Amino acid sequence: MTQSDSLNRKFILAKRPRGEPDDSTLRLETEDVATPGKGQMLLRNKYLSLDPYMRGRMSDAPSYAAPVAIGAVMVGGTVAQVVSSNVAGFAAGDWVQAFGGWQDYALSDGIGVINMGPSPENPSWALGVLGMPGLTAWAGLTQIGQPKAGETLVVAGASGPVGATVGQIGKILGLHVVGIAGGAEKCSHVVDVLGFDACIDYKADDFPNALKAAVPEGIDIYFENVGGAVFDAVLPLLNPKARIPVCGLISQYNATTLPDGPDRMNLLLGVILRKRMTLRGFIVFDDFGHLYPEFAQQMGAWVKAGQVKYHEEMIDGLELAPAAFVGLLRGEAFGKRVVKLTV
């Protein structure tokens, strides 16, 4: 379906999922397009970002952010155009980076909205390499990873928007970079296109041994966004004073119980102590949002120079967003998954 000038399609959270979201989790509704009031502007969403954190917002378990309320529009980052504006600094036709959610139109007071001007190049990239995933990669690696030339960096989710960017920044900074991804096609892309030194398929039977062989001098920085069996293989290979930025644990997002097996918490804490490692979780805009201007300047230059390459997977149509999101959580995405709303 195409966008309408008079109707707003929106996906609302119909019920909280247990495990993987299904067809009853989100419900598509329509309403009249709202009229902006004093101090508001009307945004027409053009692109919707799909990101793993959205699964957490569907849950009402304690977290770093409030859950989406039942009956409320599902949250999500968007690139939009201003339809009409009563907000200083924004004019009709401007492209903006906002948080408009899973819908065609959104009202905004301008807080937290970035004006991209009337004709940005590759506007959807503001949801990927030039936006939150790119900032996550840059800040996590530079601020927590504290990379030094010659060190070994291992990146989980290496073909995804965060992992792919982490590894490329690592190469620019002189690191030996090993990626971890699911499947031969993704691993080939990570090495042949993105320029990693190696990529290990976590789906292969010999994954732990293959990873060990790829890091003969151990691991100095491990960029974590997967968890589970991937971290199990990484843990014994970490060097003393290793740094571990943690931005996500996608393997656990649909879990309803703890994994089988013995409690390994004491093992982990013992390794952290003996090897004097730094393991730090971060929420990118809370912790490093103040660095966005520095990031934007640096990443923009790298992308323009071709030093950082970016793969975008475009999904055509808002109605396909729920299935595309489930596929993302299953590891089916290749690159940054974005929904184009104006088809």
Side-chain angles (χ1 to χ4, degrees), residues 294-316:
E294 180 183 350
F295 152 76
Q297 181 179 23
Q298 181 65 84
M299 186 59 71
W302 283 335
V303 171
K304 186 175 182 179
Q307 291 177 278
V308 171
K309 298 177 176 63
Y310 178 57
H311 181 74
E312 187 176 62
E313 185 182 33
M314 194 66 70
I315 307 296
D316 290 333

Side-chain angles (χ1 to χ4, degrees), residues 66-80:
V68 176
I70 298 297
V73 176
M74 186 60 202
V75 298
T78 53
V79 164

Side-chain angles (χ1 to χ4, degrees), residues 3-24:
Q3 283 187 331
S4 165
D5 292 333
S6 59
L7 291 177
N8 179 41
R9 300 171 301 166
K10 60 181 184 178
F11 272 108
I12 62 103
L13 184 64
K15 73 173 190 178
R16 304 202 185 279
R18 179 172 174 78
E20 183 176 273
D22 58 27
D23 292 342
S24 65

Side-chain angles (χ1 to χ4, degrees), residues 19-33:
E20 183 176 273
D22 58 27
D23 292 342
S24 65
T25 301
L26 298 166
R27 183 171 67 245
L28 185 62
E29 296 182 349
T30 59
E31 62 184 4
D32 292 338
V33 174

Side-chain angles (χ1 to χ4, degrees), residues 120-210:
E121 186 177 0
N122 300 312
S124 64
W125 289 19
L127 300 174
V129 68
L130 300 178
M132 182 269 288
L135 178 60
T136 299
W138 177 84
L141 179 59
T142 62
Q143 303 303 301
I144 301 175
Q146 295 289 312
K148 303 173 185 65
E151 291 187 321
T152 295
L153 164 67
V154 170
V155 185
S159 66
V162 174
T165 308
V166 170
Q168 291 181 87
I169 296 172
K171 290 302 299 179
I172 292 171
L173 299 180
L175 304 181
H176 178 75
V177 180
V178 176
I180 299 172
E185 182 183 7
K186 290 182 179 180
C187 279
S188 293
H189 174 79
V190 166
V191 173
D192 298 338
V193 177
L194 302 182
F196 286 42
D197 295 291
C199 185
I200 312 302
D201 181 1
Y202 72 83
K203 296 181 179 180
D205 292 338
D206 63 344
F207 164 61
N209 290 330

Side-chain angles (χ1 to χ4, degrees), residues 54-143:
M54 294 171 174
R55 177 60 184 83
R57 300 292 182 87
M58 293 177 174
S59 170
D60 59 0
S63 185
Y64 63 89
V68 176
I70 298 297
V73 176
M74 186 60 202
V75 298
T78 53
V79 164
Q81 268 191 302
V82 178
V83 177
S84 58
S85 174
N86 297 317
V87 180
F90 297 91
D94 285 347
W95 286 81
V96 299
Q97 180 182 346
F99 210 63
W102 292 37
Q103 57 184 343
D104 288 319
Y105 294 89
L107 290 175
S108 172
D109 59 7
I111 296 176
V113 178
I114 298 173
N115 195 331
M116 301 162 62
S119 55
E121 186 177 0
N122 300 312
S124 64
W125 289 19
L127 300 174
V129 68
L130 300 178
M132 182 269 288
L135 178 60
T136 299
W138 177 84
L141 179 59
T142 62
Q143 303 303 301

